[in-house]
Amino acid sequence: SNRVHVAVRCRPINEREKTRGAVPCFEIDNTRCTITDQASGEQRQFTFDHCYMANGNLQEEQAEIMKDLGTEVLSQAIQGYNVTVLAYGQTGAGKSLTMIGKPQSP
């Protein structure tokens, strides 16, 4: 379609964060991400075109993102349209992994 698509991909808590007692502060539900303030319990809800939660099966996750977002972008680029894919986030959050996967991935 001729509109901007916005997606979010959340990673699980890593081992370093677990050893420091961190707990997840968000829940993912298809197109909705709910973030809970650990101190106050206040919740904020955000809606996107797609929400993804890293579940440890990288190949499955990458295939889903490609199906939902990449196929249309590639199709439009082949048709001669200008397209852009932008990954934004904190260092170590998984931007490069989301964009290019691992070398052994198809």
Side-chain angles (χ1 to χ4, degrees), residues 5-86:
H5 293 262
V6 180
V8 63
R9 183 181 197 182
C10 298
R11 67 165 178 79
I13 291 178
N14 62 33
E15 290 304 316
R16 184 173 140 247
E17 293 164 334
K18 286 179 187 175
T19 60
R20 293 180 173 187
V23 294
C25 63
F26 60 87
E27 293 179 24
I28 300 291
D29 180 27
N30 294 323
T31 61
R32 195 171 313 133
C33 178
T34 303
I35 299 175
T36 303
D37 181 314
Q38 302 292 350
S40 69
E42 179 185 348
Q43 292 188 325
R44 298 215 38 207
Q45 206 170 72
F46 301 90
T47 303
F48 302 91
D49 293 303
H50 303 278
C51 292
Y52 304 97
M53 178 62 195
N55 62 19
N57 186 339
L58 180 63
Q59 194 164 359
E60 183 181 292
E61 294 167 20
Q62 292 294 96
E64 182 179 8
I65 292 169
M66 182 64 178
K67 176 182 68 73
D68 292 345
L69 302 169
T71 305
E72 183 178 347
V73 169
L74 285 175
S75 174
Q76 294 209 356
I78 289 168
Q79 293 174 40
Y81 292 98
N82 292 322
V83 299
T84 301
V85 177
L86 172 72

